[in-house]
């Protein structure tokens, strides 16, 4: 699975990406994650204690963050935070916000994207996120890029779609993706929203 983010005026070589490998997580990594979350909780408790000693109420009382015990793999909020948000998306957004103070992060409503544990860290960084319609219309301009990349995969590989070949082609296409096309898709956002409104929030519009 491939993740990437787009930003106006940037070509693919300037933009972050991540290629998830499978399995997404080993048993050892799951255990390490549990230890990490307990450690984070203990640090938050220490912060609360410091606030109390200074005579202040802590604005966000901590609670132990947990992962679903019965999860069967896949990308959950923790993997998304560790692989995407903290190392890639938030640094990109914070740097861009210096020259674009009205910047909004755009993500769909995938469960790993909208988990409550993401809200406070994002707010502490001063980053805002676009409210997304409940029925997931394909408003994000990056969806057009994914369609193009799928076409390029078929053109370049045909039936020779091994995992290794797919990874190589996807990375090449992403790194060489031109800023002009990214700008074009981002500029189309007002028309996409208008088309979505005309479709009463549905996903049946074409743009």
């Amino acid at each position: 699975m491939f993740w990437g983010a787009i930003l106006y005026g940037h070509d693919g070589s300037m933009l972050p990406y991540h290629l998830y490998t499978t399995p997404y997580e080993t048993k050892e990594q799951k255990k390490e994650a549990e230890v990490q979350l307990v450690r984070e909780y203990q640090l938050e408790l220490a912060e609360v204690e410091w606030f109390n000693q200074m005579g202040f109420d802590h604005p966000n009382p901590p609670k132990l963050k947990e992962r679903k015990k019965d999860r069967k793999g896949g990308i959950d909020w923790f993997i998304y935070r560790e692989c995407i948000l903290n190392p890639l998306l938030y640094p990109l957004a914070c740097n861009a916000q210096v020259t674009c103070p009205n910047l909004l992060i755009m993500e769909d409503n995938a469960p790993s994207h909208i988990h409550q544990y993401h809200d406070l860290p994002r707010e502490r960084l001063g980053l805002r996120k676009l409210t997304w319609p409940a029925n997931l219309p394909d408003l994000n301009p990056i969806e057009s890029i994914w369609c193009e990349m799928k076409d390029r995969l078929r053109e370049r590989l045909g039936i020779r779609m091994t995992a290794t070949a797919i990874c190589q082609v996807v990375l090449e296409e992403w790194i060489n993706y031109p800023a002009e096309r990214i700008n074009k898709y981002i500029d189309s956002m007002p028309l996409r929203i208008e088309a979505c409104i005309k479709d009463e929030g549905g996903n049946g519009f074409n743009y």
Side-chain angles (χ1 to χ4, degrees):
M1 183 182 294
F2 184 84
W3 175 91
I6 57 175
L7 184 65
Y8 201 88
H10 292 61
D11 61 35
S13 67
M14 304 165 65
L15 294 168
Y17 64 86
H18 180 76
L19 192 61
Y20 290 102
T21 56
T22 53
Y24 300 122
E25 203 174 26
T26 64
K27 291 182 179 179
E28 290 73 19
Q29 288 172 324
K30 288 181 181 179
K31 292 179 180 178
E32 291 173 3
E34 292 178 3
V35 173
Q36 178 179 340
L37 291 175
V38 170
R39 188 182 301 118
E40 290 177 10
Y41 177 59
Q42 291 171 340
L43 289 173
E44 291 172 353
L45 287 177
E47 184 180 86
V48 170
E49 180 62 25
W50 181 86
F51 266 74
N52 291 337
Q53 291 176 358
M54 298 297 293
F56 301 110
D57 292 327
H58 195 279
N60 298 292
K63 64 178 180 179
L64 180 62
K65 299 180 180 67
E66 296 182 337
R67 307 175 75 186
K68 286 186 177 180
K69 303 299 182 184
D70 58 346
R71 57 186 298 269
K72 300 178 181 179
I75 299 167
D76 70 346
W77 71 269
F78 180 81
I79 295 176
Y80 187 64
R81 186 190 77 171
E82 295 298 296
C83 294
I84 303 299
L85 293 182
N86 289 344
L88 299 175
L89 183 56
Y90 287 166
L92 175 72
C94 287
N95 288 334
Q97 197 169 229
V98 174
T99 55
C100 184
N102 294 323
L103 179 138
L104 290 172
I105 293 174
M106 182 183 294
E107 296 175 305
D108 63 24
N109 287 338
S112 61
H113 296 169
I114 61 173
H115 201 283
Q116 59 179 336
Y117 294 153
H118 298 328
D119 294 339
L120 183 57
R122 184 177 64 250
E123 291 168 2
R124 283 178 170 172
L125 291 171
L127 298 173
R128 296 181 299 152
K129 183 176 176 179
L130 183 69
T131 301
W132 203 258
N135 57 349
L136 299 180
D138 293 332
L139 284 173
N140 197 325
I142 205 170
E143 297 294 340
S144 298
I145 297 176
W146 297 150
C147 289
E148 287 186 15
M149 292 183 73
K150 289 176 183 177
D151 290 340
R152 290 292 293 151
L153 275 172
R154 286 189 287 267
E155 291 172 8
R156 293 182 58 178
L157 296 179
I159 62 173
R160 304 185 305 277
M161 286 201 184
T162 64
T164 301
I166 290 173
C167 290
Q168 180 178 346
V169 170
V170 167
L171 290 178
E172 289 175 359
E173 292 294 328
W174 178 261
I175 291 172
N176 292 309
Y177 202 87
E180 293 77 14
R181 293 193 66 79
I182 291 174
N183 293 348
K184 170 190 170 184
Y185 287 132
I186 293 176
D187 284 336
S188 73
M189 197 59 203
L191 293 177
R192 290 171 184 263
I193 293 175
E194 182 180 339
C196 181
I197 292 173
K198 287 182 178 179
D199 195 46
E200 298 181 345
N203 203 19
F205 65 91
N206 292 314
Y207 184 77

